[in-house]
Amino acid sequence: MSTTNVGKDAWLKSLKEKYENLGGKGKCPKPATIHRVPHIIRRGDEGAYEPEIISIGPYHRHNEKLKAMEKHKWQYLLSLCSRYNRHWEDIALEVGKLVNGAQTCYSDINPVEEEFAEMLLLDGCFTLELFLKYEDRISNKTGKNRSETDPIFGYCTPWVVRCVARDLLLAENQLPFFVLQKIFDEFNEPSTKLSLVDLAMRFFKALYLAINQNSSLGLAQKQSSDAPNHLHLLHLVHSHFVPPQPSHPARNIKKNLLSSSSLLPSFNKHNPSKDTLDIQPHTPLPTVPRAQRLQDSGIKFKKGEGKNFLDIKFQNGVMEIPHLIVDHYTNTFLRNLIAFEQGHPQSGKCFTMYAAFMDFVVNTAKDVEILHEHGILDHGLGSEQNIALLFNEICKGLIVEPDKNDKYLLLVNDVICYSNIPWNMWRAKLNRDYFGNPWAIVSVAAAVVALSLTLINTFFSIYRYYHPSP
């Protein structure tokens, strides 16, 4: 056998080993459910995907900046065992049985099994005890039972609690939900009133304004029997925002609207007699005029009555957008939910489409001012320009391709149709220029009266000319 053939045999053997290790032999490996955020998305704002105070899961476990919280995880493990009078060794054995299944949930990791099991135990017990300590805090308003040595609820300032809540909802900072559920089931009795889902949502609702303002979300919406359907805590929060599917039948989108990118109405675009066309794959979301242009086109803004800020509606020239409070955590909150949708398409695109829609509508500080005047946007970021920048930057690097019957695609179609009708623009201009304030109305009324008197006087002058009195 020649040297060349020996080299080929070794090369083919190496390829075969790699193929089998990656799930060959006719089987596809189970897809990961907790991914690293792709670089093309991360580059929009690196810090929005990085934990600030605590690492959960393997991706940031060895970050030196987060080492301070590692010893507190042991403290919370012992606190949880003391709470239920259990031995941590028993819990560790149960968690160890989940190692193989949990490893498949992550991409691009090669952990040491013992270290990985320790991570699951510490991070899972820490998260559960965190939720329980928060329940203790809100049920005991006097704080007599609060330990001053507690690293989060004791001697630390309130911002630490919010930072921890922020880190628990990062796409790269997740534990498989079945691990949390197993630990919860091991410690709790069947008679426990609150499920793990309830505990988690009560915690996040209190610390995230975007969740708290949606008072109808969170409690008992998802029963504990649905727990296996949740991939992790970020998915749990996501599932509580997903709006119901539209009840109206599927509609075709006008071909001329899909190809339109103009911000100003034109006179030849709105033609209902044109042939309709089903939306094709990889069609981008049609461009929506910004808020100021929409106003100029006759569209009115109204604060939506719905509790879910994703539930935007448009009907009869009125766009209803639910109230959203934008704070220093809103950017991170939205970005990580969007990153989750990008890596897990089965979950839907509601946050991605919402961000894309708001990116169109909010383009300048003036647009933010308009929405603020109508009670839609409130913020504490310093200026309207900062809010506009938040929405303008949040969709960079994203693939925004609506499905055929996507709620936001139908909404965009209706908005573009309405804004392209010339009469709506003329009526809006008339109202703005001549009926925008009381003085303008008085001026128009005076002009109408003066014109009427002039016409009457002219009529009688002509009448007397042709019919002189005897």
Side-chain angles (χ1 to χ4, degrees):
M1 182 179 292
S2 66
T3 305
T4 303
N5 289 335
V6 172
K8 287 182 178 179
D9 290 342
W11 177 59
L12 289 174
K13 182 179 179 181
S14 174
L15 287 179
K16 183 178 179 180
E17 290 177 354
K18 292 179 180 179
Y19 171 74
E20 293 179 352
N21 289 336
L22 292 175
K25 299 181 180 180
K27 287 187 177 181
C28 293
K30 182 180 178 182
T33 55
I34 304 174
H35 305 271
R36 290 189 183 274
V37 178
H39 171 69
I40 193 172
I41 298 178
R42 291 179 66 90
R43 66 184 180 182
D45 186 355
E46 289 276 351
Y49 308 100
E50 298 283 339
E52 293 179 344
I53 197 170
I54 190 169
S55 166
I56 300 292
Y59 292 143
H60 299 277
R61 182 169 175 78
H62 299 293
N63 188 333
E64 291 296 327
K65 297 185 297 184
L66 309 176
K67 287 294 184 182
M69 287 296 294
E70 291 302 309
K71 64 178 181 179
H72 298 314
K73 292 180 182 179
W74 284 101
Q75 182 177 340
Y76 267 47
L77 167 62
L78 297 177
S79 175
L80 181 64
C81 292
S82 176
R83 179 190 295 270
Y84 292 100
N85 194 26
R86 295 287 302 276
H87 294 290
W88 67 266
E89 294 91 341
D90 298 334
I91 307 301
L93 291 175
E94 294 299 322
V95 172
K97 299 175 183 178
L98 306 177
V99 168
N100 291 335
Q103 286 182 355
T104 63
C105 295
Y106 297 95
S107 58
D108 302 326
I109 62 168
N110 294 295
V112 177
E113 186 169 327
E114 292 77 9
E115 293 182 0
F116 190 82
E118 177 184 319
M119 179 207 71
L120 294 180
L121 175 66
L122 290 178
D123 292 357
C125 289
F126 170 85
T127 303
L128 178 56
E129 179 65 3
L130 179 74
F131 295 158
L132 293 170
K133 281 180 177 288
Y134 177 77
E135 279 298 310
D136 293 342
R137 184 183 184 187
I138 62 175
S139 62
N140 179 26
K141 296 181 180 180
T142 61
K144 291 181 179 179
N145 296 332
R146 193 185 309 170
S147 171
E148 291 300 324
T149 61
D150 190 294
I152 297 176
F153 296 106
Y155 57 83
C156 288
T157 54
W159 68 265
V160 175
V161 186
R162 295 204 68 190
C163 277
V164 171
R166 170 201 178 272
D167 289 351
L168 289 182
L169 291 185
L170 298 181
E172 295 183 351
N173 224 30
Q174 299 298 315
L175 277 187
F177 197 87
F178 65 82
V179 174
L180 293 174
Q181 188 67 52
K182 179 64 176 178
I183 296 174
F184 178 82
D185 293 340
E186 285 295 319
F187 278 111
N188 285 271
E189 300 175 356
S191 60
T192 303
K193 294 181 180 179
L194 293 176
S195 68
L196 176 58
V197 170
D198 289 334
L199 284 172
M201 290 306 300
R202 285 164 70 94
F203 175 78
F204 290 123
K205 278 186 64 177
L207 299 168
Y208 262 100
L209 294 179
I211 304 176
N212 185 43
Q213 67 195 46
N214 296 279
S215 57
S216 64
L217 302 175
L219 300 183
Q221 184 174 343
K222 302 286 184 182
Q223 301 298 326
S224 59
S225 59
D226 293 333
N229 296 327
H230 300 128
L231 303 176
H232 39 68
L233 291 177
L234 184 62
H235 183 208
L236 168 65
V237 171
H238 181 278
S239 69
H240 281 72
F241 279 91
V242 177
Q245 293 297 321
S247 57
H248 51 71
R251 303 196 319 228
N252 291 325
I253 307 301
K254 299 288 188 297
K255 179 178 180 180
N256 60 317
L257 291 178
L258 286 176
S259 61
S260 170
S261 61
S262 174
L263 293 180
L264 289 173
S266 65
F267 304 121
N268 59 352
K269 287 180 182 174
H270 185 68
N271 187 356
S273 64
K274 280 185 176 283
D275 294 334
T276 58
L277 177 73
D278 289 343
I279 184 171
Q280 299 300 316
H282 311 300
T283 302
L285 185 69
T287 302
V288 182
R290 62 188 181 90
Q292 189 172 9
R293 296 287 177 85
L294 290 175
Q295 268 196 342
D296 294 342
S297 300
I299 291 177
K300 298 178 181 179
F301 290 97
K302 179 183 178 182
K303 178 182 177 181
E305 299 178 357
K307 299 297 183 181
N308 190 338
F309 69 83
L310 302 178
D311 191 18
I312 302 175
K313 299 177 182 178
F314 180 77
Q315 189 174 11
N316 299 326
V318 179
M319 183 180 294
E320 294 189 18
I321 304 179
H323 182 227
L324 175 65
I325 301 174
V326 181
D327 65 356
H328 293 282
Y329 294 95
T330 305
N331 178 58
T332 299
F333 179 71
L334 291 176
R335 281 183 176 275
N336 281 273
L337 285 164
I338 292 170
F340 166 68
E341 290 181 346
Q342 295 287 302
H344 196 264
Q346 304 92 320
S347 63
K349 304 176 182 177
C350 59
F351 279 91
T352 304
M353 300 306 297
Y354 172 83
F357 183 83
M358 292 299 289
D359 181 25
F360 288 136
V361 174
V362 179
N363 197 34
T364 67
K366 179 61 178 177
D367 300 322
V368 177
E369 183 181 336
I370 290 172
L371 297 184
H372 176 70
E373 289 174 353
H374 289 85
I376 294 171
L377 284 182
D378 282 323
H379 69 90
L381 296 186
S383 70
E384 285 80 7
Q385 187 60 43
N386 290 338
I387 302 295
L389 186 62
L390 184 154
F391 285 110
N392 295 161
E393 295 287 332
I394 203 169
C395 287
K396 283 189 175 180
L398 297 182
I399 298 175
V400 184
E401 296 176 352
D403 297 325
K404 179 178 178 180
N405 298 321
D406 188 277
K407 169 187 173 180
Y408 287 98
L409 180 63
L410 303 179
L411 174 70
V412 166
N413 180 62
D414 290 343
V415 170
I416 296 177
C417 281
Y418 188 93
S419 63
N420 282 342
I421 298 176
W423 165 245
N424 293 328
M425 181 181 64
W426 295 338
R427 183 177 58 184
K429 182 176 177 60
L430 180 67
N431 290 332
R432 182 179 66 252
D433 294 345
Y434 298 102
F435 301 102
N437 60 73
W439 294 113
I441 296 174
V442 170
S443 299
V444 171
V448 170
V449 171
L451 179 61
S452 300
L453 293 175
T454 301
L455 291 174
I456 293 172
N457 183 57
T458 302
F459 171 78
F460 280 107
S461 297
I462 296 173
Y463 183 84
R464 285 194 300 269
Y465 177 80
Y466 287 101
H467 301 83
S469 57

